[in-house]
Amino acid sequence: MANQTVLKDFILVGFSSYPHMRTFLFVLFFGLYLLTLTGNLAILGLTWADRSLHTPMYLFLRALSFSETCYTLTIIPKMLADLLTEKRSISVPGCGLQMCFFLGLGGTNCIILTLMGYDRFLAICHPLRYPLLMTNVVCGQLVVSAWAGGFLISVTETALIFGGSFCTPNLIHHFFCHMRAVVRLSCLDSDLTELVVTMISVSALTGTFLFIVITYVFILSTVFRIPSAEGKQKAFSTCASHLTVVIVHFGFAAIVYLKPEESGGDDTLIAVPYTVITPFLSPLIFSLRNRDMKNAFRKLLAKRSF
């Protein structure tokens, strides 16, 4: 039986199963983290400096970049530090805070991506009413609601998991305080708690994804009715980067949260695409596949060279 000693900290097992790869993983993840920060900060800077990008679509993009920057800060610096040391402990309150911010920012990202899809739906399906329906003030209110919704879910899940005591062994078989890994250390009925928090996460994930799918069904039906090929291409170009990020984001998230328990596999490695690769690809896709962003970058370089 598990020892019901009151725990003060947890040990993050992380990548200790791969001792000979820790240096390589540190260099790889550190490089990806720097590129992720650079990409998100570049988007934040460009959308702030260029007045032509002060539109709802780019305000949502700025909010997403800020949210993803905070999202990576919650886990990657700690993960990098643990790859260089043998002491991989984290206090119980620190673990709760990390989980709360990770889940909250992840939920915020999902909601902002959903709002970006709604913004494209209004712009393409209701172009005449779009300036009245989606003002910068409304955009700001929607972003605030995205943060509120994301953290409402995360606070609920964190309270359910950390509401009781934890039993030894205090080993978290992950590189951060993942909710499934932590809830299994609970002295209470961990199966019921795990089921409840998993259902909350899956419901939020599938709900936002289905909303995006519905918006794109209406977008496609409108685009196909545009008579000119140039008009169709222009409409598709405004959605291409967002749709690509949605597929990457929700695809990797589905692997983490919808994976059956009996399917096996290393949860640590399975979580890497969602926590490291997705934040790296998101600013890259929005920068390289967006004509306005590239033009803003060229104008900034031209001003500096002048």
Side-chain angles (χ1 to χ4, degrees), residues 29-80:
F29 293 153
F30 183 66
L32 289 174
Y33 181 53
L34 286 181
L35 291 172
T36 302
L37 280 180
T38 302
N40 281 319
L41 291 175
I43 289 175
L44 287 169
L46 284 174
T47 54
W48 179 268
D50 196 318
R51 296 190 65 83
S52 66
L53 300 181
H54 290 188
T55 60
M57 183 172 76
Y58 292 103
L59 289 177
F60 283 128
L61 179 56
R62 189 193 307 170
L64 180 66
S65 295
F66 178 74
S67 176
E68 286 201 329
T69 301
C70 298
Y71 174 82
T72 55
L73 282 171
T74 60
I75 52 172
I76 296 183
K78 172 66 176 170
M79 178 188 70
L80 293 173

Side-chain angles (χ1 to χ4, degrees), residues 79-251:
M79 178 188 70
L80 293 173
D82 288 345
L83 283 169
L84 297 178
T85 182
E86 296 300 324
K87 186 181 178 182
R88 297 179 294 275
S89 62
I90 184 170
S91 67
V92 173
C95 184
L97 281 173
Q98 187 191 57
M99 181 186 296
C100 184
F101 277 97
F102 173 76
L103 293 173
L105 291 163
T108 300
N109 291 343
C110 289
I111 298 173
I112 292 176
L113 284 171
T114 306
L115 293 175
M116 293 174 79
Y118 177 65
D119 173 71
R120 292 299 83 207
F121 160 74
L122 291 179
I124 293 172
C125 300
H126 303 282
L128 298 179
R129 297 172 59 199
Y130 176 73
L132 298 175
L133 294 173
M134 188 60 74
T135 63
N136 287 351
V137 174
V138 172
C139 178
Q141 292 171 342
L142 289 174
V143 169
V144 171
S145 69
W147 279 78
F151 276 91
L152 176 63
I153 294 172
S154 75
V155 168
T156 302
E157 291 180 325
T158 306
L160 287 171
I161 293 171
F162 284 83
S165 57
F166 296 95
C167 296
T168 55
N170 61 338
L171 301 176
I172 296 177
H173 293 276
H174 223 294
F175 58 85
F176 69 100
C177 291
H178 189 276
M179 63 178 191
R180 278 188 177 179
V182 175
V183 76
R184 290 167 190 162
L185 302 180
S186 174
C187 298
L188 304 176
D189 186 0
S190 62
D191 290 338
L192 178 60
T193 307
E194 183 177 358
L195 176 63
V196 171
V197 296
T198 301
M199 287 304 297
I200 292 173
S201 295
V202 170
S203 299
L205 194 69
T206 53
T208 50
F209 180 71
L210 285 175
F211 190 90
I212 294 173
V213 170
I214 291 170
T215 58
Y216 270 99
V217 168
F218 284 106
I219 287 171
L220 288 174
S221 65
T222 302
V223 169
F224 286 136
R225 291 200 299 268
I226 297 175
S228 66
E230 184 181 353
K232 290 179 181 179
Q233 185 178 2
K234 184 178 179 181
F236 276 126
S237 66
T238 62
C239 301
S241 55
H242 173 255
L243 190 57
T244 305
V245 170
V246 165
I247 293 170
V248 171
H249 181 91
F250 284 93

